[in-house]
């Protein structure tokens, strides 16, 4: 059996923040290799006609309320970023640049981006904030800035988005385990049931 | 504490079918009065810009797959209606007409509509099928046909849709308990947790 869990997300998705806080433990419980795939959902939303969650009438009020009660239930800090929706381009590129240097650091960075945005209220759409977060892991700011403009990094992000779309990803967070897709933070218990039962 | 559970749904929503099969037991477990509110989501989707679930690229493939695995997990029969999406106007009107005669029969009818559509593969958008389902509960077909055209019934359905929209309903199934909203079949366990804990 394939022991890989693929985790697709957009840094601008608040439910992905909650998922990112839980997903390592889930993978550890079942001895799975966790693959992080930060993507930009905007390109995929153009295909599906979806709107960002917090731009939809009625649904946005529900989501705001639901995010706050989810934080209370999970005992996690939660701040709604002041600019919603926002583009997570810089954070995505920084992730793939870091991955070329050190995969473990890239994961740490991804979690730090979520914490900076949704726990500390920092502007994670801002290239300066992103650069600071990478530099804090032991890199020089100018080296990071050059890296983010690297064509191979831009290509890698584009490939990651194409690959996600080909795999059927249309929302965030989105998990694939042994070709079985699970969309949404609230589906993580079912994903775990699937892993344990090896399907049903 | 208010002991009413409001259950909003569109008969054309397959996830509402699953919810309708579970919701009576949930209400009984916690001694709640269950209020059924069949509505037409089309009018609300015009406001939110949403598309029917099974008309959205990528998402429709996921939903089709997810509905089938949900049926397996819950050990419930499931047939995807051949026409999707469809208008559940006749079934909604029949529900409100029946409710004027006998509230318990109206609930039975609503469950029968779901079973006819999603277990037997009958066309529940068809006024003839709907009339048959009402008649099977002890009414004459011509009496039902007159009832469905009654202006007071049309008005009652319109009021129900307006009231749902005012309450924030934007999808199906949708539950409200003590002003606390829960959207989606997969949120029923959380709804129950909320009822038990009296919030969190």
């Amino acid at each position: 059996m394939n022991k890989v869990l693929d985790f697709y997300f957009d840094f601008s998705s608040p439910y992905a923040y909650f998922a990112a806080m839980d997903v390592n433990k889930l993978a550890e419980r079942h001895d799975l290799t966790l693959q992080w795939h930060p993507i930009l959902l905007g390109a995929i939303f153009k295909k599906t006609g979806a709107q960002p969650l917090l731009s939809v009438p009625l649904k946005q009020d529900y989501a705001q309320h639901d995010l706050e009660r989810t934080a209370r239930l999970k005992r996690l800090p939660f701040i709604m970023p002041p600019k919603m929706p926002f583009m997570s381009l810089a954070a995505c590129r920084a992730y793939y640049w870091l991955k070329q240097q050190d995969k473990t650091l890239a994961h740490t960075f991804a979690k730090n981006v979520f914490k900076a945005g949704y726990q500390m209220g920092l502007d994670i759409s801002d290239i300066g904030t992103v650069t600071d977060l990478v530099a804090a892991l032991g890199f020089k700011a100018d080296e990071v800035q050059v890296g983010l403009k690297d064509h191979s990094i831009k290509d890698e992000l584009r490939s990651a988005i194409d690959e996600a779309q080909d795999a059927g990803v249309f929302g965030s967070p989105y998990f694939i385990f042994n070709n079985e897709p699970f969309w949404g933070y609230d589906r993580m218990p079912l994903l775990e049931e699937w892993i344990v039962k090896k399907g049903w």
Side-chain angles (χ1 to χ4, degrees), chain A:
Chain A
M1 185 181 241
N2 185 350
K3 299 285 276 178
V4 174
L5 176 60
D6 287 294
F7 172 39
Y8 298 87
F9 59 91
D10 189 316
F11 284 113
S12 74
S13 156
Y15 287 110
Y17 153 65
F18 291 121
M21 297 299 105
D22 285 354
V23 71
N24 281 303
K25 284 179 202 150
L26 188 152
E28 281 166 19
R29 279 196 292 276
H30 305 288
D31 198 23
L32 305 179
T33 304
L34 184 61
Q35 305 273 19
W36 295 58
H37 304 272
I39 55 168
L40 300 171
L41 270 177
I44 296 176
F45 278 9
K46 275 183 195 150
K47 187 174 176 182
T48 61
Q51 294 294 320
L53 183 63
L54 293 156
S55 308
V56 180
L58 297 177
K59 204 170 181 175
Q60 65 186 350
D61 299 329
Y62 177 83
Q64 174 86 42
H65 180 80
D66 185 56
L67 288 161
E68 286 164 8
R69 74 180 168 190
T70 299
R72 292 199 306 273
L73 182 65
K74 302 292 175 179
R75 298 179 193 279
L76 281 169
F78 177 71
I79 294 170
M80 183 68 85
K83 284 197 285 180
M84 287 294 274
F86 62 85
M87 269 280 278
S88 59
L89 182 65
C92 278
R93 285 192 183 155
Y95 175 87
Y96 289 105
W97 180 79
L98 263 170
K99 198 179 158 198
Q100 288 188 351
Q101 329 294 318
D102 183 322
K103 208 168 165 178
T104 306
L105 275 188
H107 290 173
T108 303
F109 166 76
K111 288 182 74 172
N112 288 353
V113 171
F114 279 118
K115 288 179 186 171
Y118 299 94
Q119 295 187 357
M120 300 164 203
L122 295 174
D123 180 4
I124 56 174
S125 70
D126 180 65
I127 195 163
T129 307
V130 167
T131 305
D132 288 349
L133 287 169
V134 180
L137 295 172
F139 297 87
K140 289 182 181 153
D142 52 358
E143 165 186 35
V144 180
Q145 281 155 7
V146 171
L148 296 190
K149 289 175 190 155
D150 191 306
H151 280 288
S152 73
I153 297 302
K154 294 181 184 180
D155 289 345
E156 199 172 336
L157 174 57
R158 263 192 295 264
S159 300
I161 297 169
D162 289 346
E163 186 263 335
Q165 188 170 319
D166 291 345
V169 175
F170 58 84
S172 166
Y174 199 99
F175 303 90
I176 300 182
F177 173 72
N178 267 324
N179 295 317
E180 192 66 24
F182 292 86
W183 167 48
Y185 174 60
D186 47 11
R187 287 302 187 92
M188 287 181 78
L190 270 188
L191 160 65
E192 187 152 17
E193 197 172 334
W194 186 277
I195 292 166
V196 170
K197 290 184 174 173
K198 300 182 172 63
W200 57 73

